C-alpha cells in the first residue's frame, strides 16, 4: 500500500468510493442530498439533460462506426464520460470559455459546435476545423496538457477586462503528470485566475492506470498549489452540473481557481487504434457498467414519472435523425484542396510560402497538361 | 499471417520485430540497459516495438513512466549519471517537444560542461514521419531541430536489417543518440542475419549503384528513392541511391565520391526543405564538388507549412514522381 504523502496515512487502492465523492444521483437513480452542492431542476431540465446524454452517446457511437467503415482515420470515444461532459458543459454560460482535449465531444455539443465540425480532424480534412470564438470553444488539443496553460492565460485576460467570464480547461488523469498542467496550476493560483480545472479521471491514460501517474487522489493535488479541489461522481450528471456551477460562480466572484476531479471510467478503447484487452480486465468494465450515467438518470426519471412516452419516442427519432445526418455529413465531406495547406500559415504574407505555393501549383498543372497532351 | 521464415541465424522480420529483437539483445547483453516510456510495458508501445520485453525483463528494466516527456528524458539523464543506459521511447514525433528543453539544454551539453568527465549514453527513440493517415502531431520530421544541436547524434534506419543493428549500436554509444524510426516502414519485412557483422553506425551506404544522378535520402524516403530508381532504370537511366543512415554526423565522403562520378545530386526528405538536412548536404557538396557538378544540387522535401491533414498528406510527401521530376530537372540543367 502506498503512503499518502499529504498526511502520512495509508492510501488504499483508489476505488473512488470514499466520503469525499460528491454525488446527487446514485447509480440506482436515487436522488441524494449533499451539504455543499445542490441542484433544483424542473422536469424539463431533467429531460433536457437526458436528451443531451442520449444524443451525445449516439453521435459518439456513430463516429466509432464511421471509423470502422474507413470514413474516419481515428476516433476518440467519450463512452462512459457523457455525464461528466454534459454536466460540466451545461453549467457554462454562453460567455464562458472552454479549452478541451480531443475527447470533449459532449462539451462541444453543449457549446453548440456542429458535431460534423468535430469530425473533420478525425477524418483528416483539417487540423482543427472551427472558429473557436464562435462558440467560445477552443480547438481540440492533442498534445497532452498544453491547453491547460491556454485556459489559465485566457482567464488572466478576462480578469483584466473585468468581465464575468469564467474559463474551464479540461484534461485527463494522465495529463495531470505533465509539466504544463502543473505550471497551469501554479499560474492560476498565484494570479487568482478565474479558471476551473476539470479533470476527467477515467482511470486510464491509454494503457497506464492512474497509479502510474499519482500517489494521492487526484483532487487533493490542488491543495498543494493553494486552491480547493473536489472529487465528483463523474457518472452523475447532476453532481457534475452542481459542482461545476459552483466552481464557475466562485471564479466569477474573484475567488480564484478550483480543481474538479470527475471520477469516471473510459468504457471504450483509448481510441479506435487501441486494444484495451492487452492491459485491462473486463471485470473492471462490468463493474463500471453498473454505474452507467444514462441508465441512472433514466431510472430516476422513471421513478419520478418524469417524461411521457412521447418524449422518449421523439428522442429516439431525433437520435436516428442525428445519426443519419452525421453519416451523410461525413461521407460527403469534401477533401480539402491540396493547395489549401499553404493557406493561413501566417497572418501576413510570407514570400517563402508564396513561392512554394506557386511551385506546387505549377508542378500539379504540369500533370494536367501532360495528361491532355498524351490523349 | 505467414510464420516467420528462419534459416540458421537468418530470420524474416518486420522493422518492428527487428527493433524489438535488437532491444532484447541489448537488454540481455548489458544489465545497465533500461527502457522507459509511455505505454511500453503491457501494451508493448503503440507500435508494439517493445512487445513482450517487460514480461521478460521485468518492470524495473522496462518501465512504464508517468505521462511527461520532460520527466522521462530528465530522469533518463539522472539514470545515466548513475551508470545506467536508458533507452527512451517518445510515443510520436510531435510529442518530443515537452522534452526538448532537457534534450537541448541538458542532454546535449553535459558531457562538454563536465570537461568530458560524465557521459550520457541515452538513446531517444522517436517514430517519425508521415504517410500513415494520422491526425496532427503524429507525422512530423523533427530531425533538423536535433541535428542543429551539437552534442546529439541523430540517426535513422530505413530497413529491418539496419534497424536491428543500428539500435544496438546506438545503445552501445557513449553519446546521446536521437534514433528516428520511419513509422510508415515499420511493417516492411526483410531477412535479418543476426550473426552478420554490421558496418559502422555513422557511415552512409550506397544502396543502388548508378551513374546518371546521385539521390540521397534517409529513413522513410530511401524506399521511395529506390522505387524512383527502379522506374528510371526502365527508361535507361541508372540512379545511384545513397542511404545516409546518419544525419549527424553526416558522412559527406560517400556522397562526394558518388557525385564526382555522376555530376548530379538530388536530396530527398520528408522534412521541410527550408533549412533542412538537404540544405546542409547541398552546401557542403557544392563546396567539395563544385567542378564536378553539372547542375545545382536540388532538394525534394516538405513545404514551409504545418504538416497537412492526412487526406492531402500524399501531396505534401515526396513521392516517386517528385523525385524523378527533380532528377529530370537536374539532368536537363
Ligand atoms: C505530449 C503528449 N505525449 C503523449 C501523447 C500520446 N497520448 C495521447 S492520449 C494519451 C493518454 C492521455 O491520457 P489522459 O490524460 O488520462 O486522457 P484520456 O485519453 O484518458 O482522456 C497519450 C499518452 C500526446 N498526445 N501528447
Ligand atoms: Mg485518462
Amino acid at each position: 500500500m502506498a503512503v499518502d504523502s499529504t498526511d502520512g496515512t495509508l492510501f488504499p487502492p483508489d476505488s473512488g468510493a470514499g466520503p469525499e465523492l460528491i454525488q446527487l444521483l446514485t447509480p440506482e437513480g436515487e436522488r441524494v442530498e449533499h451539504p455543499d452542492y445542490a441542484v433544483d431542476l424542473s422536469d424539463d431540465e431533467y429531460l433536457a439533460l437526458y436528451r443531451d446524454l442520449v444524443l451525445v452517446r449516439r453521435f459518439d457511437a456513430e463516429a466509432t462506426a464511421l471509423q470502422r467503415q474507413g470514413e474516419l482515420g481515428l476516433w476518440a470515444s467519450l463512452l462512459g464520460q457523457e455525464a461528466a461532459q454534459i454536466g460540466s458543459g451545461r453549467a457554462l454560460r454562453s460567455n464562458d470559455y472552454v479549452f478541451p482535449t480531443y475527447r470533449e465531444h459532449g462539451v462541444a455539443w453543449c457549446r453548440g459546435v456542429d458535431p460534423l465540425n468535430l469530425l473533420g480532424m478525425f477524418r483528416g480534412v483539417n487540423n482543427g476545423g472551427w472558429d473557436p470564438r464562435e462558440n467560445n470553444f477552443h480547438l481540440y488539443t492533442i498534445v497532452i496538457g498544453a491547453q491547460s496553460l491556454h485556459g489559465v492565460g485566457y482567464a488572466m485576460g478576462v480578469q483584466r477586462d473585468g468581465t464575468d467570464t469564467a474559463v474551464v480547461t479540461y484534461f485527463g488523469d494522465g495529463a495531470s503528470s505533465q509539466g504544463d498542467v502543473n505550471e497551469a496550476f501554479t499560474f492560476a493560483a498565484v494570479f487568482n485566475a478565474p479558471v476551473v480545472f476539470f479533470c476527467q479521471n477515467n482511470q486510464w491514460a491509454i494503457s497506464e492506470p492512474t497509479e502510474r501517474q499519482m500517489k494521492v487522489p487526484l483532487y487533493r493535488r490542488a491543495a498543494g498549489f493553494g486552491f480547493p479541489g473536489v472529487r465528483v461522481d463523474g457518472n452523475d450528471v447532476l453532481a457534475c452540473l452542481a459542482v461545476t456551477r459552483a466552481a464557475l460562480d466562485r471564479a466569477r466572484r474573484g475567488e480564484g481557481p478550483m480543481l474538479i476531479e470527475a471520477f469516471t471510467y473510459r468504457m471504450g478503447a483509448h481510441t479506435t487504434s487501441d486494444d484495451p484487452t492487452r492491459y485491462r480486465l473486463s471485470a473492471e468494465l462490468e463493474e463500471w457498467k453498473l454505474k452507467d450515467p444514462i441508465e441512472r438518470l433514466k431510472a430516476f426519471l422513471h421513478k419520478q414519472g418524469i417524461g411521457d412516452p412521447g418524449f422518449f419516442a421523439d428522442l429516439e427519432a431525433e437520435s436516428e435523425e442525428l445519426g443519419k445526418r452525421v453519416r451523410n455529413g461525413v461521407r460527403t465531406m469534401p477533401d480539402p484542396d491540396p493547395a489549401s495547406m499553404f493557406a493561413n500559415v501566417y497572418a501576413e504574407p510570407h514570400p517563402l510560402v508564396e513561392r512554394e505555393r506557386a511551385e506546387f501549383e505549377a508542378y500539379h498543372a504540369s500533370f494536367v497538361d501532360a495528361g491532355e497532351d498524351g490523349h | 499471417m505467414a510464420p516467420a521464415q528462419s534459416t540458421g541465424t537468418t530470420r524474416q522480420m518486420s522493422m518492428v520485430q527487428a527493433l524489438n529483437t535488437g532491444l532484447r539483445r541489448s537488454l540481455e547483453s548489458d544489465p545497465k540497459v533500461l527502457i522507459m516510456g509511455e505505454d511500453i510495458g503491457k501494451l508493448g508501445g503503440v507500435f508494439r516495438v517493445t512487445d513482450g520485453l517487460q514480461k521478460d525483463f521485468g518492470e524495473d528494466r522496462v518501465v512504464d513512466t508517468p505521462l511527461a516527456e520532460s520527466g522521462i528524458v530528465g530522469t533518463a539523464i539522472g539514470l545515466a549519471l548513475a551508470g545506467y543506459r536508458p533507452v527512451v521511447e517518445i510515443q510520436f514525433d510531435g510529442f518530443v517537444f515537452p522534452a526538448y528543453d532537457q534534450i537541448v539544454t541538458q542532454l546535449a551539453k553535459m558531457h562538454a560542461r563536465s570537461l568530458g568527465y560524465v557521459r550520457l549514453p541515452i538513446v531517444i527513440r522517436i517514430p517519425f514521419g508521415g504517410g500513415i493517415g494520422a491526425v496532427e502531431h503524429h507525422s512530423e520530421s523533427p530531425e533538423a531541430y536535433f541535428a542543429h544541436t551539437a552534442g546529439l547524434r541523430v540517426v535513422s534506419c530505413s530497413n529491418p536489417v539496419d534497424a536491428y543493428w543500428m539500435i544496438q549500436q546506438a545503445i552501445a554509444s557513449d553519446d546521446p543518440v536521437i534514433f528516428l524510426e520511419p513509422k510508415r516502414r515499420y511493417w516492411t519485412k526483410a531477412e535479418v542475419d543476426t550473426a552478420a557483422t554490421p558496418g559502422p553506425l555513422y557511415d552512409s551506404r550506397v544502396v543502388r549503384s548508378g551513374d546518371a544522378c546521385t539521390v540521397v535520402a534517409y529513413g522513410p524516403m530511401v524506399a521511395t528513392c529506390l522505387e524512383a530508381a527502379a522506374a528510371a532504370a526502365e527508361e535507361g537511366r541508372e540512379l545511384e541511391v545513397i542511404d545516409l543512415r546518419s544525419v549527424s554526423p553526416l558522412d559527406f565522403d560517400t556522397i562526394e565520391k558518388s557525385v564526382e562520378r555522376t555530376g548530379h545530386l538530388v536530396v530527398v526528405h520528408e522534412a521541410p526543405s527550408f533549412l533542412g538536412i538537404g540544405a546542409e548536404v547541398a552546401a557542403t557538396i557544392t563546396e567539395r564538388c563544385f567542378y564536378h557538378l553539372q547542375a545545382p544540387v536540388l532538394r525534394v522535401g516538405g513545404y514551409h507549412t504545418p504538416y497537412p491533414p492526412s487526406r492531402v498528406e500524399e501531396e505534401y510527401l515526396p513521392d516517386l514522381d517528385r523525385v524523378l521530376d527533380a532528377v529530370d530537372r537536374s539532368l536537363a540543367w
Side-chain angles (χ1 to χ4, degrees):
Chain A
M1 253 193 253
V3 172
D4 179 341
S5 57
T6 53
D7 55 12
T9 55
L10 287 178
F11 164 46
D14 193 3
S15 68
E20 72 278 13
L21 188 78
I22 300 162
Q23 195 178 64
L24 299 177
L25 188 64
T26 69
E28 295 73 35
E30 303 290 348
R31 276 288 269 116
V32 285
E33 298 305 323
H34 189 279
D36 301 327
Y37 299 96
V39 281
D40 184 19
L41 301 184
S42 67
D43 287 2
D44 282 349
E45 286 169 323
Y46 282 124
L47 291 174
L49 287 175
Y50 183 74
R51 173 179 170 270
D52 285 338
L53 294 170
V54 167
L55 293 180
V56 159
R57 178 169 289 185
R58 176 53 185 259
F59 163 68
D60 185 72
E62 211 61 60
T64 299
L66 284 162
Q67 194 282 335
R68 297 277 176 250
Q69 295 157 22
E71 296 290 343
L72 301 178
L74 181 80
W75 182 244
S77 168
L78 64 23
L79 189 65
Q81 300 175 220
E82 295 88 350
Q85 297 196 12
I86 298 298
S88 60
R90 285 300 176 204
L92 295 157
R93 294 189 194 163
S94 65
N95 63 331
D96 293 335
Y97 211 102
V98 172
F99 288 81
T101 70
Y102 41 82
R103 208 188 288 285
E104 263 65 81
H105 322 312
V107 185
W109 170 265
C110 296
R111 299 309 282 167
V113 177
D114 185 335
L116 282 170
N117 279 350
L118 302 178
L119 296 173
M121 187 175 90
F122 292 97
R123 184 169 166 88
V125 304
N126 59 48
N127 284 331
W130 59 84
D131 178 354
R133 300 165 309 171
E134 201 175 310
N135 301 102
N136 285 3
F137 186 79
H138 191 66
L139 301 172
Y140 274 177
T141 300
I142 289 178
V143 179
I144 299 295
Q147 76 285 356
S148 57
L149 283 162
H150 310 156
V152 174
Y154 195 92
M156 289 162 65
V158 297
Q159 182 183 43
R160 280 165 174 68
D161 294 343
T163 65
D164 72 345
T165 294
V167 178
V168 182
T169 177
Y170 288 84
F171 57 95
D173 43 284
S176 72
S177 294
Q178 277 287 15
D180 276 6
V181 171
N182 289 274
E183 292 173 27
F185 289 168
T186 300
F187 275 66
V190 303
F191 294 117
N192 203 43
V195 62
V196 176
F197 295 106
F198 195 95
C199 177
Q200 286 163 86
N201 178 356
N202 63 7
Q203 313 303 324
W204 292 93
I206 309 187
S207 72
E208 299 193 5
T210 46
E211 296 85 57
R212 200 35 34 154
Q213 315 290 347
M214 62 201 77
K215 285 291 185 186
V216 296
L218 202 150
Y219 74 96
R220 280 206 218 159
R221 286 188 178 177
F225 287 89
F227 52 89
V230 296
R231 172 179 281 181
V232 60
D233 183 340
N235 288 16
D236 172 352
V237 69
L238 305 183
C240 288
L241 176 72
V243 171
T244 311
R245 251 187 207 160
L248 287 166
D249 286 345
R250 202 177 161 278
R252 273 187 241 290
R253 289 195 303 269
E255 292 169 31
M258 183 161 153
L259 169 64
I260 300 171
E261 175 193 8
F263 204 82
T264 181
Y265 194 77
R266 194 194 79 208
M267 294 299 285
H270 169 68
T271 65
T272 46
S273 299
D274 180 37
D275 174 12
T277 62
R278 292 179 70 100
Y279 55 80
R280 70 182 189 187
L281 298 171
S282 56
E284 200 175 270
L285 200 69
E286 294 307 317
E287 224 172 90
W288 278 91
K289 268 188 192 155
L290 303 173
K291 305 181 195 172
D292 185 73
I294 302 187
E295 287 307 316
R296 75 170 75 178
L297 187 58
K298 195 176 180 181
F300 169 75
L301 295 177
H302 283 322
K303 277 180 211 180
Q304 301 294 312
I306 303 173
D308 53 27
F311 168 82
F312 292 99
D314 286 353
L315 182 55
E316 184 53 39
E318 191 181 6
S319 182
E320 285 303 313
E321 203 45 49
L322 175 66
K324 205 183 296 170
R325 188 169 103 75
V326 168
R327 279 195 301 278
N328 293 341
V330 167
R331 291 188 181 131
T332 56
M333 200 178 274
D335 283 349
D337 169 12
S340 68
M341 74 176 88
F342 297 95
N344 303 313
V345 180
Y346 296 90
E348 295 173 14
H350 188 291
L352 175 59
V353 177
E354 297 312 320
R355 197 191 76 213
E356 287 191 349
R357 185 211 300 261
E359 286 170 3
F360 179 89
E361 283 171 346
Y363 173 73
H364 283 275
S366 74
F367 282 95
V368 177
D369 295 346
E372 281 167 0
D373 289 352
H375 287 88
Chain B
M1 228 205 306
Q5 298 290 317
S6 174
T7 50
T9 56
T10 299
R11 245 200 319 146
Q12 194 180 67
M13 295 184 200
S14 66
M15 185 182 286
V16 166
Q17 290 169 323
L19 289 164
N20 181 276
T21 313
L23 288 167
R24 186 174 282 279
R25 284 294 109 78
S26 295
L27 284 162
E28 281 163 358
S29 62
D30 185 346
K32 291 294 187 185
V33 171
L34 302 178
I35 304 189
M36 48 201 292
E38 296 158 8
D39 305 293
I40 65 162
K42 273 192 187 157
L43 187 64
V46 295
F47 291 106
R48 309 292 185 260
V49 171
T50 56
D51 191 20
L53 297 182
Q54 188 179 67
K55 191 166 143 276
D56 294 345
F57 295 93
E59 292 186 18
D60 277 351
R61 296 195 66 200
V62 180
V63 185
D64 264 338
T65 64
L67 204 180
E69 289 78 7
S70 182
I72 297 171
V73 174
T75 56
I77 292 172
L79 280 157
L81 293 173
Y84 286 87
R85 302 184 88 84
V87 183
V88 161
E89 173 173 308
I90 299 292
Q91 203 160 78
F92 281 91
D93 33 63
F95 307 141
V96 70
F97 299 106
Y100 197 58
D101 171 44
Q102 286 289 343
I103 295 172
V104 172
T105 70
Q106 305 301 315
L107 181 60
K109 297 174 175 59
M110 215 172 269
H111 180 68
R113 290 178 57 235
S114 76
L115 309 176
Y117 285 114
V118 302
R119 296 181 174 207
L120 292 158
I122 295 176
V123 176
I124 300 180
R125 296 181 35 241
I126 311 176
F128 87 121
I132 63 160
V135 293
E136 63 166 357
H137 311 301
H138 293 72
S139 303
E140 300 186 358
S141 298
E143 58 269 26
Y145 297 130
F146 299 111
H148 208 81
T149 300
L152 303 175
R153 295 175 184 266
V154 184
V155 303
S156 180
C157 50
S158 68
N159 61 76
V161 177
D162 274 356
Y164 175 75
W165 292 112
M166 288 171 73
I167 188 65
Q168 295 177 69
Q169 293 171 313
I171 293 169
S173 167
D174 274 349
D175 283 319
V177 179
I178 307 292
F179 194 91
L180 298 164
E181 301 170 1
K183 64 173 88 81
R184 68 196 288 197
R185 310 292 179 206
Y186 266 154
W187 304 280
T188 47
K189 291 189 173 166
E191 297 289 325
V192 180
D193 180 357
T194 54
T197 308
L201 177 58
Y202 304 108
D203 281 8
S204 317
R205 185 182 303 138
V206 176
V207 289
R208 181 178 174 123
S209 307
D211 51 16
C213 178
T214 305
V215 179
V216 165
Y218 53 88
M221 282 291 112
V222 173
T224 304
C225 292
L226 285 171
E227 284 165 26
E234 282 175 21
E235 294 174 3
R237 278 178 309 177
E238 290 299 337
L239 309 183
E240 179 141 304
V241 180
I242 295 175
D243 180 354
L244 276 186
R245 300 170 77 252
S246 174
V247 157
S248 177
L250 219 157
D251 171 14
F252 292 109
D253 293 352
T254 302
I255 309 172
E256 183 179 345
K257 269 189 222 118
S258 175
V259 171
E260 280 175 0
R261 284 189 294 103
T262 64
H264 295 270
L265 176 59
V266 171
V267 193
V268 184
H269 49 62
E270 287 187 17
S273 292
F274 183 65
L275 293 174
I277 307 306
E280 181 57 41
V281 172
T284 302
I285 293 301
T286 303
E287 275 174 32
R288 291 212 196 170
C289 305
F290 191 67
Y291 294 106
H292 292 280
L293 281 169
Q294 290 166 40
V297 180
L298 297 182
R299 288 168 290 162
V300 181
Y303 302 108
H304 194 65
T305 69
Y307 193 87
S310 62
R311 288 255 167 178
V312 288
E313 71 179 328
E314 295 305 332
E315 315 287 337
Y316 173 95
L317 292 168
D319 60 5
L320 181 150
D321 287 328
R322 280 178 65 200
V323 174
L324 290 180
D325 173 69
V327 169
D328 286 346
R329 282 188 286 127
S330 177
L331 294 178
W333 204 274

